Amino acid sequence: MVKEKDQLRYVALGDSQTEGLNDGDEETGFRGWADRLAEHMAESDDGVVYANLAVRGRKAAQVRAEQLPAALAMRPTVVSVAAGVNDILRPNFDARTVAGELGTMFAALQSADCTVITMTFPRLAHPVPGRSVIARRMTDLNTEIRRAAEEFGVVLIDLERHDVASDPRLWSWDRLHLNETGHARLAAAAAYALGLPGATDAWNRPLAPLPRPQRVQRVRADLTWAGMFLAPWLTRRIRGRSSGDSRTAKRPELTSVLG
């Protein structure tokens, strides 16, 4: 839970999900769950300052090496750490190694007297190539994240254990990032987990039953996804590139949430 301190300083660490991809766009700017959480904090404390150091494509080790030192220098009171999906998608994935990187961050942040919040990853909402392998890796990593969170006393949003987190209507066209609704739900989940004023567990309420799509609709959606997302992603992997190459944090300094 959030500790009482003179000023609430929130720093977000992670990859594209925390950067806010697909809650907005490249032209207007991405908002995302971390921005929304900071805005929730500001509803009861207009002195909140916030930095978002997340960069798309980053693996857990990169988040630890590139973002953790900068975060510690800001003397934050609340830090969110969400990383590991990009590791899952690599051939040399090892759940304990990835969780070890997260644990190193948890330990350093706890030593700095921060409230730390993290999350497990929800079950896959859409069919993707290699689904069974990805699902198994995700389950293994979630198990290790729970252990690390318990060891270091980190606030945990256990998305894997909430069915609503896997509702496809919370996920965007690329099947990897949340959409606006999904980011809003995750921000509400974080606010509730942190015990922020006015936060409730309403984020966990299921959506109305989802009608089963017809086969032609599923095929059309799969082909669109393969052309718009899968093919470019595979091309980057073959070339040894990342979506985050040459990218920097969108909000590298602590600034007022209210502007």
Side-chain angles (χ1 to χ4, degrees), residues 34 54 65 89 104 107 129 140 179 240:
L89 300 176
T104 296
D140 291 345
N179 57 24

Side-chain angles (χ1 to χ4, degrees), residues 29-231:
F30 293 111
R31 189 179 180 190
W33 73 270
D35 287 23
R36 292 170 179 272
L37 175 60
E39 291 160 9
H40 191 126
M41 292 176 177
E43 291 175 4
S44 56
D45 183 350
D46 59 13
V48 175
V49 288
Y50 163 56
N52 189 322
L53 307 182
V55 178
R56 67 192 71 176
R58 294 302 193 259
K59 294 183 287 187
Q62 292 173 304
V63 173
R64 189 255 314 148
E66 299 170 7
Q67 300 174 27
L68 178 63
L72 290 170
M74 296 178 188
R75 298 184 299 108
T77 57
V78 179
V79 179
S80 59
V81 180
V85 166
N86 292 306
D87 296 87
I88 287 173
L89 300 176
R90 299 303 195 273
N92 60 346
F93 170 77
D94 179 77
R96 289 192 176 183
T97 298
V98 175
E101 298 288 354
L102 296 174
T104 296
M105 289 187 272
F106 296 162
L109 293 165
Q110 290 284 38
S111 295
D113 199 25
C114 302
T115 296
V116 183
I117 183 168
T118 192
M119 63 193 68
T120 61
F121 299 102
R123 297 181 300 277
L124 293 171
H126 292 280
V128 295
R131 181 188 180 106
S132 62
V133 173
I134 293 172
R136 183 172 64 252
R137 289 181 171 190
M138 198 167 287
T139 296
D140 291 345
L141 179 57
N142 285 340
T143 298
E144 298 298 329
I145 290 173
R146 290 188 191 99
R147 289 174 181 169
E150 182 176 3
E151 178 181 354
F152 295 104
V154 170
V155 178
L156 177 68
I157 310 170
D158 203 344
L159 295 176
E160 185 180 38
R161 293 177 174 170
H162 292 278
D163 290 341
V164 70
S166 297
D167 190 304
R169 289 167 290 184
L170 269 58
W171 295 85
S172 63
W173 61 270
D174 67 9
R175 304 183 180 182
L176 183 63
H177 299 98
L178 295 166
N179 57 24
E180 179 180 347
T181 301
H183 279 285
R185 289 261 183 157
L186 181 51
Y192 181 68
L194 290 168
L196 297 183
T200 72
D201 64 353
W203 72 271
N204 193 32
R205 293 175 184 168
L207 281 69
L210 182 66
R212 186 177 180 84
Q214 297 180 353
R215 178 176 174 80
V216 66
Q217 294 174 314
R218 295 198 305 270
V219 171
R220 184 181 297 117
D222 290 345
L223 290 174
T224 299
W225 173 79
M228 294 181 63
F229 177 78
L230 181 60

